[in-house]
Amino acid sequence: GQNIDQPTEMTATEGAIVQINCTYQTSGFNGLFWYQQHAGEAPTFLSYNVLDGLEEKGRFSSFLSRSKGYSYLLLKELQMKDSASYLCAVRDSNYQLIWGAGTKLIIKP
Amino acid sequence: IAGITQAPTSQILAAGRRMTLRCTQDMRHNAMYWYRQDLGLGLRLIHYSNTAGTTGKGEVPDGYSVSRANTDDFPLTLASAVPSQTSVYFCASSEAGDAAPYGYTFGSGTRLTVV
């Protein structure tokens, strides 16, 4: 079966750095996505990785290792508004997105 | 306003009733999707459409049907609602069904409670 694993919940301090991990086992791989979802709102696109390595976009970076079936989302200089759920999704060989259950990130002052 | 519009925002529905959730996009995206999101579970694909006139079944299609008469509209119908269909429903779209690197654009969701 296809599986995406993420931690259920993480807590971090305002101004700090946090890394949210995602491991996946899917039938084929055609890219990995990270989305942010604030409570009661729709998911919004954060990043896309299809090749190994680090993609940096402002305070957010995403890393991919296809051989290890592993990705992480790195958030720097955390702000209170970063409190949200972060969803990892992998596009499989049929180009369908398989979603993780999401990681709820709690930021404390 | 560019994006996806879903209606209604929320609904309480009696079991056994029929209901259609509406979804309209103005981005001229070819591909559209319906997901349900339940606490502790990832987004689960109900149905999808790669282009107008075609539809496909996702991971959890039972009890739901869709149509794609044109590019902009992708309604989801519950023929006879059951309590297990209580969920938040998201409609999404993307530029292409395959290699789009830009991800999906989501509507704001419909919170459905079946009692």
Side-chain angles (χ1 to χ4, degrees):
Chain A
Q2 307 202 90
N3 195 49
I4 310 279
D5 284 319
Q6 309 177 231
T8 302
E9 186 175 298
M10 300 181 69
T11 302
T13 303
E14 189 177 17
I17 298 172
V18 70
Q19 177 175 311
I20 302 173
N21 295 326
C22 170
T23 58
Y24 62 89
Q25 292 177 307
T26 57
S27 55
F29 178 86
N30 285 295
L32 184 144
F33 296 82
W34 284 96
Y35 284 78
Q36 180 189 60
Q37 185 177 25
H38 286 100
E41 298 183 9
T44 55
F45 171 74
L46 283 179
S47 69
Y48 171 73
N49 294 70
V50 67
L51 300 176
D52 291 350
L54 189 68
E55 294 282 343
E56 297 186 79
K57 192 184 295 185
R59 294 189 299 113
F60 293 7
S61 302
S62 56
F63 172 83
L64 174 67
S65 169
R66 289 172 295 171
S67 63
K68 295 182 179 179
Y70 168 69
S71 173
Y72 67 72
L73 180 69
L74 190 71
L75 291 72
K76 303 177 184 177
E77 302 170 14
L78 286 169
Q79 303 175 9
M80 297 303 294
K81 68 178 181 179
D82 297 330
S83 292
S85 289
Y86 292 85
L87 313 182
C88 174
V90 173
R91 190 158 52 200
D92 68 9
S93 57
N94 294 319
Y95 292 96
Q96 296 292 346
L97 281 188
I98 309 302
W99 295 83
T103 298
K104 182 178 181 180
L105 178 63
I106 300 168
I107 310 295
K108 296 186 175 180
Chain B
I1 300 176
I4 295 181
T5 301
Q6 288 187 238
T9 304
S10 66
Q11 181 76 45
I12 298 174
L13 186 68
R17 295 295 296 269
R18 178 185 179 90
M19 174 155 190
T20 295
L21 308 185
R22 300 185 297 279
C23 174
T24 300
Q25 55 109 351
D26 61 3
M27 299 171 286
R28 308 303 293 173
H29 284 174
N30 285 320
M32 296 188 75
Y33 314 86
W34 273 106
Y35 286 94
R36 60 178 290 172
Q37 187 175 40
D38 302 291
L39 195 63
L41 300 176
L43 287 161
R44 292 184 291 170
L45 182 65
I46 304 170
H47 285 285
Y48 66 93
S49 169
N50 285 332
T51 189
T54 69
T55 63
K57 294 182 179 180
E59 179 185 357
V60 288
D62 293 344
Y64 306 95
S65 63
V66 292
S67 61
R68 187 87 183 278
N70 56 62
T71 298
D72 299 342
D73 301 300
F74 191 44
L76 175 74
T77 297
L78 287 68
S80 178
V82 295
S84 62
Q85 292 178 310
T86 294
S87 186
V88 179
Y89 291 85
F90 286 104
C91 180
S93 70
S94 66
E95 289 186 3
D98 48 12
Y102 307 112
Y104 292 4
T105 299
F106 284 84
S108 56
T110 295
R111 186 174 297 274
L112 180 67
T113 303
V114 182
V115 296

